Amino acid sequence: VIGGSDAPNVVALAGGVGGAKLAEGLQAVVGDRLTVIVNTADDTERHGLLVCADHDTVMYTLAGLENPELGWGLADDSWTVMAALERYGEEGWFRLGDQDLATHIVRTDRLRRGERLTAVCRHLQARLGVAATILPMADEPVRTQVRTDDGWLNFQDYFVRLRQAPEVHEVRFVGVEAAQPTAETLAAVAAADVIVVAPSNPIVSVGPILAVPGMTEALAHARAGGVPIAAVSGIVGGKALKGPADRMLASLGHEATALGVARLYRDLADVFVLDAVDAALAPAVEALGIRAVVTDTIMTDDASRARLARAVLAATAPA
Ligand code: FO1
């Protein structure tokens, strides 16, 4: 809506559903000036295909094609192939819609032909008409695993198959030491006027992005050059907007509040955006050395997504 040549270059760090909603609001405000760096650590191989869960959630949302009931996958998808796979005895707990499967087929085919994940994702986005740029945090595979009473589990086993029921004692990002920021992510951060950390799970959505060797250094370098970094709390009133972030924070020894999230971002962010219901936590956030901005952060529709995006950008604008 603002768009045009005077719109700021915005880089957002995001995971799945919560990240996609704010990204949609940001895209409505700055259009193709938005670059989203997405978590790839909950990517998963299913039936021989690579599924990039967070990338696809953000891509479908920015293309206006997302399934609003599920929060992931495509609107009006069907499940014929899934039923046929189950007839062959394949596990059916991670559900891939018929049209969604086309995304994973094209992605996997192009990767096997030697294309980089970043190039493959950009191709898919272009074909779906996404205005923004969505960049995988790295081209190398990184996979989140969580340690529960039953030992280490792959992320989607924990998240989908076990419905986030087990308590998480430890988190690791397998392969992250060998990953590196891509030329595209580094160029986007270098060109950013403002960097936004979406209200995604700080441990397993934003955590892997920041764990890519060189990523926090790139962000700190931008910040040292005067680029503000604003983080938005995904914990409102002590509860995660979606998913297990509240329980995960608690079981890993953090406070399951917006203040607990702010503490995780204390060395990263200049501005922390928290919901009006958490206004009482603002002084404690400011005591961490981060400017606290209180606003309505619940994104129920397009208008509230754009409103939050504007509020976040306004909070970082020079006085
Ligand atoms: N989430 C579910 O709860 N159940 C599913 O069967 C499921 C399938 C799925 C397929 C493709 C895709 O891109 C995402 C999918 N998700 C599913 C969502 C995904 O597990 C989560 O959104 C993220 O990994 C957490 O951010």
Side-chain angles (χ1 to χ4, degrees), residues 15-17 39 42-43 51-54 56-57 60 70-73 92-97 100 104 155-156 159-160 164 205 242:
V17 180
N39 173 38
D42 47 12
D43 292 5
V51 178
C52 296
D54 284 355
D56 293 351
T57 298
Y60 293 153
L70 295 174
W72 48 269
W93 53 264
F94 195 83
R95 296 168 62 217
L96 298 167
D100 187 27
H104 316 310
F155 181 77
Q156 297 295 355
F159 194 91
V160 176
Q164 309 132 45
S205 296
K242 185 148 196 303

Side-chain angles (χ1 to χ4, degrees), residues 137-156:
M137 67 189 197
D139 284 323
E140 301 82 6
V142 179
R143 296 292 178 267
T144 295
Q145 294 185 337
V146 299
R147 190 169 61 77
T148 69
D149 287 341
D150 293 326
W152 287 100
L153 294 174
N154 291 327
F155 181 77
Q156 297 295 355

Side-chain angles (χ1 to χ4, degrees), residues 6 16 41 93 131 136 162 176 184-185 220 279 287:
D6 54 351
W93 53 264
L162 300 173
V176 77
E184 289 86 350
T185 58

Side-chain angles (χ1 to χ4, degrees), residues 151-213:
W152 287 100
L153 294 174
N154 291 327
F155 181 77
Q156 297 295 355
D157 275 273
Y158 157 76
F159 194 91
V160 176
R161 186 171 63 81
L162 300 173
R163 298 168 198 271
Q164 309 132 45
E167 189 170 321
V168 173
H169 304 302
E170 201 179 339
V171 172
R172 67 184 178 195
F173 309 127
V174 177
V176 77
E177 303 80 14
Q180 49 188 342
T182 61
E184 289 86 350
T185 58
L186 292 175
V189 170
D193 297 308
V194 46
I195 296 167
V196 178
V197 181
S200 301
N201 185 319
I203 310 277
V204 291
S205 296
V206 180
I209 302 175
L210 298 178
V212 174

